[in-house]
């Protein structure tokens, strides 16, 4: 890694990378991590609530009612219950990102990798948005690494 910088304690860090080869290598080196990426879309035939709950149902054999309750609690925690019944084509970038992040958090992986947030949140002040979102989810994840390129380092100043 070119430069790993800690922000908001040990749970979240911004990993600034020199280029794409380094980014791909970091992802490959952490198979225990759950990736939040543009390349891993939501299931288009499911609502946001169902996209989160289905992970619990299939990965941990959780009963559908309990999985839906957990998904609803997470959406409530981040103030996004308004999009719970919407499907991917009707979501804003922020709502889509929240669904992908909660889909990762619901499994409590040791590391969540948010891959190139500018691709996921193109018209959002994403460092500020991510800080606010991850603070709301404090206690729900072990570690979250935000993978970005070194040339975006200025975006992660204290004002973000």
């Amino acid at each position: 890694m070119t430069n790993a910088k800690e922000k908001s304690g040990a749970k979240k860090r911004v990993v600034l990378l020199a280029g794409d080869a380094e980014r791909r290598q970091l992802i490959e080196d952490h198979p225990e991590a759950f990736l939040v990426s543009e390349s891993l879309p939501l299931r288009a035939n499911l609502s946001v609530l169902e996209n989160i709950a289905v992970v619990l149902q299939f990965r941990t054999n959780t009963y559908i009612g309990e999985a839906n309750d957990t998904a609803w609690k997470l959406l409530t925690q981040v103030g996004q219950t308004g999009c719970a019944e919407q499907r991917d084509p009707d979501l804003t970038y922020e709502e889509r990102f929240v669904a992908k992040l909660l889909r990762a958090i619901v499994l409590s992986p040791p590391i969540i990798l948010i891959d190139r947030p500018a691709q996921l949140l193109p018209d959002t002040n994403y460092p500020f948005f991510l800080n606010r979102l991850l603070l709301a989810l404090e206690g729900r994840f072990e570690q979250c690494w935000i993978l970005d390129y070194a040339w975006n380092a200025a975006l992660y100043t204290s004002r973000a």
Side-chain angles (χ1 to χ4, degrees), residues 94 121-132 155 159-160:
E94 291 87 357
L121 298 160
D123 56 359
T124 302
N125 176 353
Y126 60 86
F128 176 77
F129 180 78
L130 291 173
N131 280 340
R132 197 178 73 224
L155 297 174
R159 68 173 175 76

Side-chain angles (χ1 to χ4, degrees), residues 44-158:
N45 62 323
L46 300 178
S47 69
V48 168
L49 185 76
E50 292 165 331
N51 263 286
I52 299 165
V54 75
V55 173
L56 281 175
Q57 290 174 264
F58 288 102
R59 294 272 184 106
T60 64
N61 204 29
T62 303
Y63 173 71
I64 189 171
E66 185 180 339
N68 285 339
D69 287 347
T70 300
W72 183 259
K73 286 176 188 171
L74 286 168
L75 286 166
T76 300
Q77 189 169 345
V78 296
Q80 292 287 334
T81 56
C83 68
E85 297 304 321
Q86 293 178 340
R87 293 173 193 241
D88 189 34
D90 300 322
L91 299 174
T92 66
Y93 289 115
E94 291 87 357
E95 291 166 338
R96 187 173 295 111
F97 178 82
V98 166
K100 289 180 177 188
L101 180 63
L102 296 182
R103 187 173 63 177
I105 282 179
V106 78
L107 286 178
S108 302
I111 304 170
I112 295 168
L113 301 176
I114 298 175
D115 183 30
R116 297 169 296 173
Q119 286 189 339
L120 295 158
L121 298 160
D123 56 359
T124 302
N125 176 353
Y126 60 86
F128 176 77
F129 180 78
L130 291 173
N131 280 340
R132 197 178 73 224
L133 187 58
L134 293 173
L135 279 174
L137 291 165
E138 203 165 60
R140 293 279 191 168
F141 61 93
E142 290 181 44
Q143 292 185 55
C144 182
W145 299 0
I146 299 168
L147 310 183
D148 209 337
Y149 295 118
W151 54 82
N152 287 328
L155 297 174
Y156 295 97
T157 61
S158 60

